[in-house]
Every structure is written in structure tokens, then in C-alpha cells.
Amino acid sequence: MAETDQAPPPSDQLAAMNLTDTVEKHAFSDRVLIRSVVGRPDGGAGLAGQRVRAGGWVKTGREQGKGTFAFLELNDGSCPANLQVIVDAGLAVLSKLVATGTCVVVDGILKVPPEGTRQKIELRVEKVVSVGEVDPAKYPIPKTKLTLEFLRDHLHLRARTNTIAAIARIRNALAFATHSFFQEHNFLYVHTPILTTSDCEGAGEMFQVTTLISESEKLEKELIKSPPPSEVDIEAARQVVSERGEAVKQLKAAKASKSEITASVAELNKAKENLSKLEERSKLKPGIPKKDGKIDYTQDFFARQAFLTVSGQLQVETYACAVSNVYTFGPTFRAEHSHTSRHLAEFWMVEPEIAFADLQDDMNCAEAYVKYMCNWLLDKCLDDMQFMAKSYDKGCIDRLRMVASIPFVRISYTEAVELLEEAVKGGKKFENEVKWGIDLASEHERYLTEVKFQKPVIVYNYPKGIKAFYMRLNDDLKTVAAMDVLVPKVGELIGGSQREERYEVIRERILEVGLPLEPYEWYLDLRRYGTVKHCGFGLGFERMILFATGIENIRDVIPFPRYPGRADL
Amino acid sequence: MAETDQAPPPSDQLAAMNLTDTVEKHAFSDRVLIRSVVGRPDGGAGLAGQRVRAGGWVKTGREQGKGTFAFLELNDGSCPANLQVIVDAGLAVLSKLVATGTCVVVDGILKVPPEGTRQKIELRVEKVVSVGEVDPAKYPIPKTKLTLEFLRDHLHLRARTNTIAAIARIRNALAFATHSFFQEHNFLYVHTPILTTSDCEGAGEMFQVTTLISESEKLEKELIKSPPPSEVDIEAARQVVSERGEAVKQLKAAKASKSEITASVAELNKAKENLSKLEERSKLKPGIPKKDGKIDYTQDFFARQAFLTVSGQLQVETYACAVSNVYTFGPTFRAEHSHTSRHLAEFWMVEPEIAFADLQDDMNCAEAYVKYMCNWLLDKCLDDMQFMAKSYDKGCIDRLRMVASIPFVRISYTEAVELLEEAVKGGKKFENEVKWGIDLASEHERYLTEVKFQKPVIVYNYPKGIKAFYMRLNDDLKTVAAMDVLVPKVGELIGGSQREERYEVIRERILEVGLPLEPYEWYLDLRRYGTVKHCGFGLGFERMILFATGIENIRDVIPFPRYPGRADL
């Protein structure tokens, strides 16, 4: 394009902007995407004059000018900001529009509001297309300020609040950032199973999955409807068989015709079949099937005991040991009766696994991934992050910026313990004793990342006694190549390790920790045949959201929280 | 950059190419990404002269030149093609490298092989860095041609075969295409729950999730270790309480000192506490807790009966009715004893939900999404698709091209039945009778898409009697605004509908189909308060992979298939 020294006159610039700045619509709908209006750098002012259709839910509404018109703050979930909508009384019964939660679709023209108002654009309605009314006296969440705890009792409506909607957008952004990061780095997304007959490291209480109870209840109902045959019924059937048998014998002895004999044999077979059916049914017993006093799992759906997964790691390793870099991102489960603000019975984990890579590579990947997510949020969710900063955690944006830009501290477990011991000498009080060999408690982790370094810290090379059997034994024979990523606000965000790839060593470790070999034979096969150096880690997805948003309770950052006593919807 | 008329001499061109064409590496590793070598348009020739490290698994290997060197076909999972590697005998014991499945890491220099060979580039090894050996006599999958059925018995190793690795890459591509499509169209990814206390439409057998069995087994063990108190024990404890009570009474009557009385009362309280503990323990009974002859689910983990989800639709609607366009992509479950090649107990579903949209929008979205996935595969997985075309389904690439480019046929259910009736008149035989009101059988669907139209067909407006209560009732009061997308090869790929947004109508429909209202009150709330026109659909993710690849059995397109009697790993 030829460059000129002359800038076009301002009015032309504006005209050009109006022409090129077409309003973005919701996909597969004729509605404007409210974000594409109010989320513009100019607040939407450049769109003045355009006719659009808008739809959303009323955040707040009020009648004005003695009922001659109404202001509605309309939100469609595309961004935290609302579109201000003005409806004249001639177009609708205003009292039916203004209640919080009302759904409206309107056609109108975008206009620049009078000087002095906060908005840069507003929608002057020309037609009210549809209304989904709300009776404010009955609406369970009419007020705008409700506690997060209260909202947990109204899971089906809480996404209509500013906070839960903002968390939903942040959660969505982090999920797509996760896929984008691993795809850009040539990792394959592998769907590891939810139903499993393996137990990852024997740790964590597992939920059992069964059809035995429903099957036995079905059977009980069935047996009430048509009771099993009595001993008398069976004896009678047995009698028929013996009579029919006798009849066949007699016909044969009498050298009866072939057709007569065939017919008689058919009768006998029918009687036999009936008897065996009755005998089969007489064995049916109500209740869960048992064998030798124990539940007979051969009759369960998978012909053995099955559980909900606690981690996809072991399974995803089978793919890493075949197609190199892989990751899994899915739900995992713990049946622990834990009522804390940091535990859920169902939560999402991201678990990459890298072949031909060691603990250093693992730490590099973890750090790059966390930084990528922070940058993604700063880049794509700044408006939502500003809302979180204003409403929940002043420092959350600075924290993202810091983590995105500063190299993570890396210290060995032994160094970490030394630093904690120094702190104790300096007067710092911990509830849990500090000495080499302990599992670092949350208070220790948060001291390191929040007080001592005030940035993310990776602690590596942990005592083997406190870590899982599959972590690679270091040459000192005392520690394993494990690493945890600690971040301010939540403490441990990531746990990972280089995996033990040496067959003899891992076999020994399984026995050492007291696990049976048999269930791990398939896992050992990965070391028996074409073994490869590899590593991986797990990131608790909800913890990442807590870290990003500053929200305190994990139940508020997952759409449908499950915990002891609660699994609503 | 200044342009010149003179082209640089050829040798300079080559030098420039070598400099700019740096070899891409695996992320977080120093290995070359084999795809970035052999997957280049020039087959890798332009990289000649570069020193690289390569790691992967040997597909086939053979010693040559009387054992003076070996050829290895090395694959790292990044693409279907292998890198040819040449190792001299002086560098390693060649017999330990050549077995299929061996893992090797080598350093070497890329060279153009002699004229007449298939490869455009090969790696001349300078150093063997590491070897993960394989004993070919024991390796469970040593041969390159194994049936898919055989491989199902070796889930942990089957990703090392060309077929399962290609399917893994195609599955990964379709998963990321799914996220990319919905993110580009401003849909939010919502994680609907796996554990649920709701039953979507009362259809489909559900898996039950419980901790009652494990808890009762724990209790049984505990009771064997320390048996519950006998009636005698309790009587004795009761006796102590009464004695201690008497003692207090006497001290009070004797006006004993305050400290004496306090001490005596403390003794009494201790005795009472002991008694109540014993009484509590005496109530413990082995077995699953019951109340009024039924299992007492108030003692289960969630204080009620819980199941694995059969669909995230109802739950994701709560988000659509708050933040507009959303989708869920996760595992779903059916406890059906189905042994067909089209059913799994655990499978993945994609379920978008669109607010302010009707059945037309729903069809538009479904068609755009399927086309997007087809284009994505043609664009990013052509080498894998060529492998599938060569090995399994000649027509699979043409099918993708056709679906990506041709508008889908759209016909009403009534028209579809008329066409089927015409076919019957014309001599076509169906196993299932054709008449208005039937649920279309797979044979009918495949006739329409494979024979009649030979392209994708969307059938819409089904009789209400064969569809779920939440589908929007049409004005004819006989049909509902449902739609199914049928494609060649698999038949039904997508099922969707506009949802009934009218409170009175949906309430009536729930009662009409014989369901109780109470469990659906939360769902009804979405219509009571700020109701919105909305629609959505579900795509069976494995069906899409079957459609794309031409693979016949669904158990081969999911990494860890679960079906009756089998849940390996």
C-alpha cells in the first residue's frame, strides 16, 4: 500500500471505523455478542448508529421518568460488563422487564449516551422481541450480593451471578490454555479411563462402581412378582421327565415307528428343559451374590471389582512409552471424608507424561506450562481478572504477572528442610515438626513460597520413604527424583517425578512398599520391553483456578462440586 | 528488505535453506521430532548434513553386510512414517538393537541415501546413547501385523502399533478440533459432573457409585478385631453409672465439700460416657446398613444414591441459561450389557448448548461442527488418514472431503418415513417395519444416508412419543423439535433438539411420560425464572472417529475400552 504524508480528515476516519467495525454476533444466533460492544477499547462508542438485536438476563433494572421508560443492565455471559438498555413504556409492560434475572431479547439502535454517564454506548430499544419473566418475590437469587456459601445451595442458578460467571470464563480460558500449550508442544491428548480396576499407588480412598446392588434389587422385585419354584414344583417336573423317559424306552422296545419315537423324544427333551429352567430359577436368591462368604464380583458388570480413577498417570504412561509426549486432562476422584476448603470428591487433573526426558525436563515443562496459563489469563481474561481483583483478591493480577515473568526458585528437599530449620531457629513457629524425612506440610510449603522467596518454588529430590514406588531412585539410594511446584496463595500446585524406568529397581520398590506384583505386571511390562527414560506431573486444575482468582473455597471454582453429603443435580 | 532482480546462485540457496530449516525438537527434550524430518514435503532431503539426536522405538530392524551394520526403522509417535537409522557394528551390539519394540536414542548425522532407495533422508549414527532392550521371544506384540482383536488383550502395549498410534493421533486431532471450533465460536467449556444424583430422562441403565460396600467391609474387619460389647458388658457399665450416681447423691446429702462433689460428678460423667459409647458400638452390625428393609443411603458418601452420568445435558443447560453458549466434553456411562461393536460402557460425548437459538440454529451448528472436524483432519492428519485409507477403508478420505464440502440434506421425519415407504414399495427389504411413529432403526438411517442421498442427512421433527420430555413440542402437538444427523458409515452421529422452554408445557410433558416432578424441580426453575429459547445436541465422540477412520469396532478407537466383563488396567 502506498504511504502518504497526509492523514485522512477525522470524519473520514470515523466513517471508515464504522464500516469495518461490524458488530460480532453470537455464533448460530442473530444476537450481538455484548462483549464485542462494551468490551471494545472505546467502550462501544464507535458502534453508534448500528442496529442490533441483543439478548441476555437483566442484572438490575429500574423504571424511570415516572414509568415512561426503563433502564436495564443486560448481561449475556460473554463478559463481566453489561449493556445498558433503554426501553420506552410504549414497547412493553416495564414492570415485567426490570426484575433481576429476567431474560429479554430486544431490537434497537446503539447510541452514545448523554455526557456525564459512565457508559460509552447504550441500546435504545425499538422492539421487545421476547421476555422470560421472573417473579422477584420467588426468585431464589434476586439480590446481587449473596454469599458464595448461600449460592452453593442453588447450583442451578448460581452461574447467573457475576462471580460464578467470571469464574466460569476463567476456568474455560485455563482449560483451553492447557490444551493449547500441550498441542503447541506436540503432546497428544489421551483419554485415560474413569472406570478402572487398577489402583494408582494404593493411595487414596476409592469410590466403588457396581451394578450388583441394582441387579439384586431388580431380582428381588422379580422374585416377588413370580416366586421361585418350590421343591414340590421341581419334584413334579422331575416326575414328568422320568415318565417321558419311560415312554421313549417303551416305544423303542416296542419298535414303534420312527416318527412316533421322534415325537416322544421331543417330548422328553421339552420336559428336561423345563426341569433345568426350574432348577436354575430355584437357585436365585435375593441379595447381593456371595461366594465363600464374600461378595461374588464375577457377577458384577466388569466381572471384577471396579473403581473410579484417582489418577490417569499409570495408564497414560502406556501411551508415553509408545508415542512419546502425551497428556491427560479429566476428572479424578477421592472418597475421602474431607470437609476442608481444599478438597473435592470429584476434581479435574492435568497429567502430562514426557518420554526421553528427566526431572530437569519435567521441571522445565511444569514451569513453562504455569507461566503460559498466567500469560493467557492476562491476555484474554483481563476484564474478569479485574473483577476478581476488585471483589476478592486485590493482588491476583500482580501475582499472575509475577509468576509469568520471574524464574521459579529450584531447591532440593534437603535445602528446603535446612531453610525451614533456620526459620525455626529464627523464631518461626510451625505446628508440624521440621526435620529431614518429613512430608512437607502446607504451612511449610507456604512459608517457602510466600515468606522466604515470595515467588514460585520447585522442591525436588524427596526422601523415598514419603513418595510413591514409581518415582526414580536417585544414586544416593535415599531420595527419589520427585518435584513439587509451590506457589503463593495455594502452596502445592503441581506434583511430579521422573519415573523409575529400570525393571529390577521398580520391581524391588513395589515389594519394598508392600504392594503385590500381580496387579502391576502390565506396568512392569513397560520396563521389560523397550523401556524409556520418562517423567511427568499432575496439576490440580481447581487449585490453579484458586491460585489465579484468589477464591478461598474450592467448591466455588468447579461448576458442580461434590463433597461428603453433597452431589446436587 | 530490498528486492533484486538477480536470484542467488543455487549453492547459496541450499546453504540458506539449511540455515533456516532448523530441525524441530520434541518439547522439553533434545530429541528431534521425527515428523519434522520425514514429514517435510522434501522427505527430509533439505536437512542433509545436520547433526541430530533421535529417540524412538524400532518398528523393524535388520543386520546387514554380514553383521557390519544394521538398519533400524525408528518411530517416535509423532507421525506414521519412520526415520531410517544406520548403525555400524563398532557402535553397539547390533543384535540388541534390531528387535521390534526396542527403544533407542542415537546421535548422528542426517544424510541423503544412495539413489534408488525409498527414503529421502537417513540417519548415520555416530553414537548410541541408550537402549531399552526387548527379548523378541517374550515380547507380547513382536509381529507388525496383529489383529485388532488380539491387541485388545494387550491394551498396555497396543499403542506401539501403527494402527493404534494413528488412531491416537486422529483422536487427539478431533478432540482439539472440537475445542477449537467451540472456542472460536465463543462457547464456554463447562465441566459437567461425572457423579450425579439426577437421571437424564430416566433413560439408560446407570452405574451406581458407592462407599457402602467398602465401609461395611472395613467395619466387619474391625468388629472381628474388636468385637462389639455383649449385653453383659453393657449391663456392667450401666451398673457403674448407677453406683456413681448413688455416690454423688450421698455426698450431696452429706453436704460434702465442693471439690469432693465435683470429683464425684466427674466420675459419674465418665461412666455415662463409657456407657453411651458401648451402647453405640453394640448397635454396629456387619453388612450394608439398612433401614426399614431397604439400603440406608443416608449413610452413603453423598447421603443419597449416586450414579455415573449418562449425559451432561441437563446440567449444562443451567450454564446456557446464564452465560449463553456453552459445551461440555467428557466421559459418559451406560451399564448396558451390550456386546456390539458400537457400544461401550464408558465413552466420550460432546454436548453444546446454545441460548437464544432454535432448531434451525441447532442444525446449523451441528453441520458446521462436523464439517470443521473433517477439514481439520484433512488439513492436519492427512498422513494418518492415508494410512487408514491404505489399511482399513479406501474411501475414508473421499468421505471426509465430501462431508466437508456438500450441504447436508435436511428432511422432516415425516418425509423420511415416506421415502422409506417408497423404498419398501420399490422392493427394498428392512428387518424393522416402516410406519409413521416408529423410531428409525439403524438400517433405516443408513439407507437414507448411504443409499438414498449418499451424503449426510439431518432428520428433524420426530414424533413426541419416541423422544425425551425436554424436547420442544411443535405446534402440531404430535412432533417435537428434535433432529438427528445421519452420516454414511455409522448412521446416527448426532442427536439434538430445541429444548422446551415453556414452563407449563414441560411440566405437563414430565407428568405425561410418567416421571415424578420432584427430581426435576431445579430443571423447572430454569423455565420459571428468566426462561430462554435454547437448543443443543450430543455427538458421540467415538462414533466420529469410526466415521473418520473406517475402523469397525468402537473398542479400537478409545484408548482403554470398557464393556461387559472387561475393564483392563
Side-chain angles (χ1 to χ4, degrees):
Chain A
M1 206 177 80
E3 278 187 16
T4 72
D5 290 339
Q6 288 185 298
S11 64
D12 280 14
Q13 265 186 335
L14 193 67
M17 192 175 167
N18 266 337
L19 280 174
T20 52
D21 288 11
T22 52
V23 184
E24 194 181 348
K25 290 192 178 142
H26 274 276
F28 315 109
S29 170
D30 50 4
R31 277 182 316 139
V32 65
L33 191 73
I34 288 181
R35 185 181 67 221
S36 79
V37 177
V38 297
R40 289 163 48 111
D42 69 354
L47 299 171
Q50 297 211 23
R51 281 205 154 72
V52 297
R53 169 166 291 185
W57 290 267
V58 173
K59 286 283 163 181
T60 59
R62 60 182 197 280
E63 293 184 56
Q64 292 270 294
K66 297 183 177 169
T68 56
F69 65 97
F71 279 116
L72 309 177
E73 292 287 328
L74 204 62
N75 189 289
D76 66 355
S78 64
C79 66
N82 306 317
L83 176 65
Q84 178 157 296
V85 171
I86 298 164
V87 193
D88 287 327
L91 297 171
V93 180
L94 298 184
S95 61
K96 290 194 171 177
L97 300 183
V98 294
T100 297
T102 303
C103 180
V104 300
V105 178
V106 291
D107 288 339
I109 187 160
L110 291 170
K111 289 196 172 169
V112 175
E115 290 273 335
T117 54
R118 201 163 41 85
Q119 285 80 15
K120 302 284 180 232
I121 197 80
E122 61 186 22
L123 185 68
R124 276 277 175 178
V125 173
E126 296 174 322
K127 184 183 170 192
V128 174
V129 180
S130 71
V131 180
E133 291 177 36
V134 157
D135 179 349
K138 290 184 184 164
Y139 192 45
I141 55 164
K143 287 180 294 180
T144 46
K145 274 281 178 197
L146 298 161
T147 68
L148 293 173
E149 203 174 355
F150 173 86
L151 289 175
R152 270 175 238 145
D153 291 332
H154 300 85
L155 289 189
H156 62 301
L157 294 171
R158 70 175 181 165
R160 294 192 183 178
T161 64
N162 294 334
T163 298
I164 299 296
I167 293 171
R169 287 186 295 268
I170 290 169
R171 188 179 172 104
N172 168 72
L174 288 172
F176 192 55
T178 294
H179 285 298
S180 298
F181 175 82
F182 288 110
Q183 296 289 330
E184 279 173 23
H185 290 90
N186 295 304
F187 286 65
L188 293 182
Y189 181 26
V190 172
H191 288 136
T192 47
I194 307 307
L195 292 165
T196 179
T197 50
S198 301
D199 178 358
C200 184
E201 64 182 295
E205 299 277 321
M206 296 175 91
F207 283 105
Q208 187 172 353
V209 177
T210 184
T211 54
L212 286 181
I213 295 175
S214 58
E215 294 283 348
S216 84
E217 281 171 352
K218 218 185 286 171
L219 176 63
E220 267 167 56
K221 272 188 205 147
E222 213 268 313
L223 286 180
I224 289 167
K225 241 169 80 184
S226 74
S230 65
E231 200 37 58
V232 176
D233 299 331
I234 293 172
E235 195 42 57
R238 224 173 256 141
Q239 192 59 40
V240 175
V241 170
S242 120
E243 283 166 19
R244 295 273 193 275
E246 199 52 46
V248 172
K249 240 189 247 165
Q250 284 177 7
L251 284 172
K252 280 182 177 169
K255 305 215 164 153
S257 76
K258 202 168 174 183
S259 68
E260 265 183 303
I261 293 178
T262 309
S264 179
V265 168
E267 287 283 313
L268 170 60
N269 287 342
K270 231 164 87 184
K272 278 183 179 166
E273 203 179 300
N274 182 45
L275 172 60
S276 92
K277 260 191 208 156
L278 286 183
E279 283 175 334
E280 203 53 50
R281 266 190 71 78
S282 77
K283 286 185 209 147
L284 294 179
K285 274 189 204 109
I288 292 172
K290 297 214 170 187
K291 205 172 176 180
D292 306 330
K294 283 181 180 166
I295 293 173
D296 180 10
Y297 285 111
T298 65
Q299 298 195 42
D300 208 347
F301 190 89
F302 296 110
R304 53 199 287 200
Q305 233 179 329
F307 303 94
L308 293 181
T309 184
V310 296
S311 159
Q313 181 206 317
L314 301 194
Q315 287 93 345
V316 92
E317 279 187 55
T318 69
Y319 271 70
C321 295
V323 293
S324 298
N325 297 3
V326 295
Y327 68 108
T328 167
F329 180 17
T332 50
F333 305 85
R334 295 282 187 290
E336 276 157 25
H337 284 277
S338 173
H339 290 268
T340 78
S341 62
R342 290 297 157 89
H343 292 89
L344 288 168
E346 173 178 334
F347 57 100
W348 283 63
M349 282 244 280
V350 180
E351 296 178 284
E353 195 73 25
I354 322 176
F356 303 96
D358 62 18
L359 191 66
Q360 286 297 328
D361 301 313
D362 208 32
M363 292 193 263
N364 293 343
C365 180
E367 180 167 345
Y369 170 42
V370 172
K371 283 182 149 65
Y372 186 97
M373 283 194 284
C374 293
N375 278 319
W376 188 282
L377 285 185
L378 291 167
D379 202 34
K380 304 194 199 293
C381 281
L382 197 57
D383 51 358
D384 285 311
M385 286 306 305
Q386 281 160 346
F387 173 81
M388 299 314 299
K390 197 183 70 189
S391 312
Y392 292 95
D393 182 359
K394 269 204 319 258
C396 64
I397 294 177
D398 291 337
R399 197 164 59 234
L400 288 183
R401 290 214 173 100
M402 184 268 286
V403 173
S405 58
I406 288 181
F408 292 9
V409 173
R410 297 186 186 191
I411 54 171
S412 72
Y413 168 88
T414 303
E415 289 169 308
V417 169
E418 284 166 8
L419 289 172
L420 292 168
E421 282 171 339
E422 265 172 41
V424 170
K425 274 185 206 146
K428 170 78 191 164
K429 295 255 181 295
F430 291 118
E431 286 193 15
N432 302 277
E433 195 197 359
V434 176
K435 65 173 183 192
W436 200 96
I438 59 153
D439 207 355
L440 298 185
S442 184
E443 55 174 344
H444 304 138
E445 295 175 338
R446 295 186 68 162
Y447 170 79
L448 290 171
T449 184
E450 291 175 358
V451 180
K452 178 71 192 169
F453 293 107
Q454 298 179 32
K455 53 181 133 171
V457 178
I458 308 184
V459 180
Y460 59 90
N461 288 353
Y462 281 80
K464 69 171 181 175
I466 56 170
K467 290 289 184 180
F469 73 85
Y470 52 71
M471 301 188 175
R472 194 177 195 279
L473 192 62
N474 287 324
D475 291 345
D476 62 14
L477 304 183
K478 279 164 53 189
T479 61
V480 290
M483 64 100 184
D484 283 356
V485 179
L486 317 177
V487 294
K489 188 86 199 171
V490 300
E492 185 190 328
L493 177 64
I494 283 176
S497 69
Q498 186 173 341
R499 318 308 188 187
E500 183 56 75
E501 88 281 14
R502 295 163 296 183
Y503 173 73
E504 291 299 341
V505 180
I506 195 166
R507 189 176 180 282
E508 202 49 52
R509 285 282 288 147
I510 291 175
L511 296 172
E512 195 178 306
V513 301
L515 289 171
L517 285 174
E518 194 278 323
Y520 296 100
E521 284 299 340
W522 65 265
Y523 191 68
L524 288 168
D525 269 2
L526 301 179
R527 279 77 180 163
R528 269 191 200 102
Y529 307 118
T531 192
V532 63
K533 181 173 75 174
H534 63 294
C535 60
F537 62 81
L539 170 134
F541 190 62
E542 283 76 21
R543 289 215 167 180
M544 181 66 205
I545 307 174
L546 291 176
F547 162 77
T549 59
I551 291 286
E552 294 290 340
N553 197 313
I554 198 166
R555 297 171 186 181
D556 301 323
V557 298
I558 190 167
F560 303 92
R562 273 77 182 96
Y563 46 95
R566 289 299 281 275
D568 290 0
L569 274 60
Chain B
M1 205 176 81
E3 278 187 20
T4 70
D5 290 339
Q6 287 182 294
S11 64
D12 280 15
Q13 264 187 335
L14 193 66
M17 191 176 171
N18 267 337
L19 280 174
T20 52
D21 287 13
T22 52
V23 184
E24 194 181 348
K25 290 193 179 137
H26 274 278
F28 315 109
S29 170
D30 50 4
R31 279 180 315 139
V32 64
L33 191 73
I34 288 182
R35 183 181 69 220
S36 78
V37 177
V38 299
R40 289 163 47 111
D42 68 355
L47 299 172
Q50 297 212 24
R51 283 205 154 70
V52 297
R53 169 166 291 185
W57 289 266
V58 173
K59 285 285 164 182
T60 60
R62 58 183 198 279
E63 293 185 55
Q64 292 270 296
K66 298 184 177 169
T68 56
F69 65 98
F71 280 116
L72 308 176
E73 293 286 328
L74 204 63
N75 190 289
D76 66 354
S78 63
C79 67
N82 306 318
L83 175 66
Q84 177 156 295
V85 171
I86 298 164
V87 193
D88 288 327
L91 296 171
V93 180
L94 298 183
S95 62
K96 292 196 170 176
L97 300 182
V98 294
T100 298
T102 304
C103 181
V104 300
V105 178
V106 290
D107 288 338
I109 187 161
L110 292 170
K111 289 195 172 171
V112 174
E115 291 273 336
T117 54
R118 200 162 41 86
Q119 285 79 16
K120 301 285 179 231
I121 197 80
E122 62 186 20
L123 184 67
R124 276 275 175 178
V125 173
E126 297 175 320
K127 185 184 171 193
V128 175
V129 180
S130 72
V131 180
E133 291 178 34
V134 157
D135 178 350
K138 291 185 183 162
Y139 192 45
I141 55 164
K143 288 180 292 181
T144 46
K145 273 282 175 195
L146 298 162
T147 68
L148 293 174
E149 201 173 357
F150 173 85
L151 289 174
R152 270 173 238 146
D153 291 332
H154 300 86
L155 289 189
H156 62 302
L157 293 170
R158 70 174 182 165
R160 293 191 184 178
T161 64
N162 294 335
T163 299
I164 301 295
I167 293 170
R169 286 186 294 269
I170 290 168
R171 188 178 172 104
N172 168 72
L174 287 172
F176 193 54
T178 295
H179 285 298
S180 297
F181 174 82
F182 289 110
Q183 295 290 329
E184 279 174 22
H185 290 89
N186 296 305
F187 286 65
L188 293 182
Y189 181 28
V190 173
H191 288 136
T192 47
I194 308 305
L195 292 166
T196 178
T197 50
S198 299
D199 177 358
C200 184
E201 66 184 291
E205 299 278 320
M206 296 174 93
F207 284 105
Q208 187 172 354
V209 177
T210 183
T211 53
L212 285 181
I213 295 175
S214 59
E215 295 281 349
S216 85
E217 282 171 352
K218 217 185 287 171
L219 176 63
E220 268 166 54
K221 273 187 204 149
E222 213 266 315
L223 287 179
I224 289 167
K225 241 169 78 184
S226 72
S230 65
E231 200 37 58
V232 176
D233 298 330
I234 292 170
E235 194 42 54
R238 223 172 258 140
Q239 192 60 38
V240 175
V241 170
S242 117
E243 282 167 19
R244 294 272 193 277
E246 198 53 42
V248 171
K249 239 189 247 167
Q250 284 177 5
L251 283 172
K252 279 185 179 167
K255 305 216 163 152
S257 75
K258 202 169 177 182
S259 68
E260 266 184 303
I261 294 176
T262 308
S264 179
V265 167
E267 286 283 310
L268 170 61
N269 286 342
K270 232 162 87 185
K272 278 184 180 165
E273 204 178 299
N274 183 46
L275 173 60
S276 93
K277 263 191 206 156
L278 286 182
E279 282 175 335
E280 203 53 49
R281 266 190 71 77
S282 76
K283 285 185 210 147
L284 294 179
K285 273 189 207 114
I288 293 173
K290 298 215 171 185
K291 205 171 175 180
D292 306 330
K294 282 183 179 165
I295 294 174
D296 181 9
Y297 285 110
T298 64
Q299 297 196 39
D300 208 346
F301 191 90
F302 297 110
R304 53 200 285 200
Q305 233 180 331
F307 303 94
L308 293 181
T309 184
V310 296
S311 159
Q313 180 206 317
L314 301 194
Q315 287 93 344
V316 93
E317 280 187 54
T318 68
Y319 271 71
C321 296
V323 294
S324 300
N325 297 4
V326 294
Y327 69 108
T328 168
F329 180 18
T332 49
F333 305 84
R334 294 282 188 288
E336 276 158 24
H337 284 277
S338 172
H339 290 267
T340 79
S341 62
R342 291 297 158 89
H343 291 89
L344 289 169
E346 173 177 335
F347 57 101
W348 284 64
M349 282 243 280
V350 179
E351 296 178 283
E353 194 74 26
I354 322 176
F356 303 95
D358 61 19
L359 191 66
Q360 286 296 327
D361 301 313
D362 208 31
M363 292 193 263
N364 293 343
C365 180
E367 180 167 346
Y369 170 43
V370 172
K371 283 183 149 64
Y372 186 96
M373 283 194 284
C374 294
N375 278 319
W376 188 283
L377 284 185
L378 291 168
D379 202 34
K380 303 193 199 296
C381 282
L382 196 57
D383 50 358
D384 285 311
M385 286 307 304
Q386 281 160 347
F387 172 82
M388 299 313 300
K390 197 183 70 189
S391 312
Y392 293 94
D393 182 359
K394 269 202 319 254
C396 64
I397 294 177
D398 290 338
R399 196 164 60 234
L400 289 183
R401 290 214 174 98
M402 182 269 285
V403 173
S405 58
I406 288 180
F408 294 7
V409 174
R410 299 186 184 190
I411 54 172
S412 71
Y413 168 90
T414 302
E415 288 168 310
V417 168
E418 283 165 10
L419 290 171
L420 292 168
E421 282 171 340
E422 266 172 41
V424 170
K425 274 186 206 144
K428 170 78 191 162
K429 296 256 179 294
F430 291 117
E431 286 193 14
N432 301 278
E433 194 197 0
V434 175
K435 66 172 186 194
W436 201 97
I438 60 154
D439 207 354
L440 297 185
S442 183
E443 57 174 343
H444 304 139
E445 295 175 338
R446 295 187 67 161
Y447 170 80
L448 291 171
T449 183
E450 290 174 0
V451 180
K452 177 71 193 170
F453 293 106
Q454 299 178 35
K455 53 181 138 172
V457 179
I458 308 183
V459 180
Y460 59 89
N461 287 352
Y462 282 79
K464 69 173 181 174
I466 58 170
K467 291 288 183 182
F469 73 84
Y470 52 71
M471 300 187 176
R472 194 178 195 280
L473 191 63
N474 287 324
D475 290 345
D476 62 14
L477 303 182
K478 279 165 54 189
T479 61
V480 290
M483 65 100 183
D484 282 356
V485 179
L486 317 177
V487 293
K489 189 83 199 174
V490 299
E492 185 189 329
L493 177 65
I494 283 175
S497 69
Q498 185 173 342
R499 319 308 188 188
E500 182 57 74
E501 89 281 12
R502 296 163 296 183
Y503 173 75
E504 290 299 342
V505 180
I506 196 166
R507 190 175 178 283
E508 201 50 52
R509 285 283 287 147
I510 291 175
L511 296 172
E512 193 178 307
V513 300
L515 289 171
L517 284 176
E518 192 279 325
Y520 296 99
E521 285 299 340
W522 64 265
Y523 191 68
L524 289 169
D525 269 0
L526 301 179
R527 280 75 181 165
R528 269 191 199 103
Y529 307 118
T531 193
V532 62
K533 180 173 76 174
H534 64 293
C535 61
F537 62 81
L539 170 132
F541 190 61
E542 283 75 22
R543 291 217 165 178
M544 181 64 206
I545 307 174
L546 291 175
F547 163 77
T549 59
I551 291 286
E552 293 291 341
N553 196 312
I554 198 167
R555 297 172 187 182
D556 302 322
V557 298
I558 189 166
F560 303 91
R562 273 80 183 93
Y563 45 95
R566 289 299 281 272
D568 291 359
L569 275 61

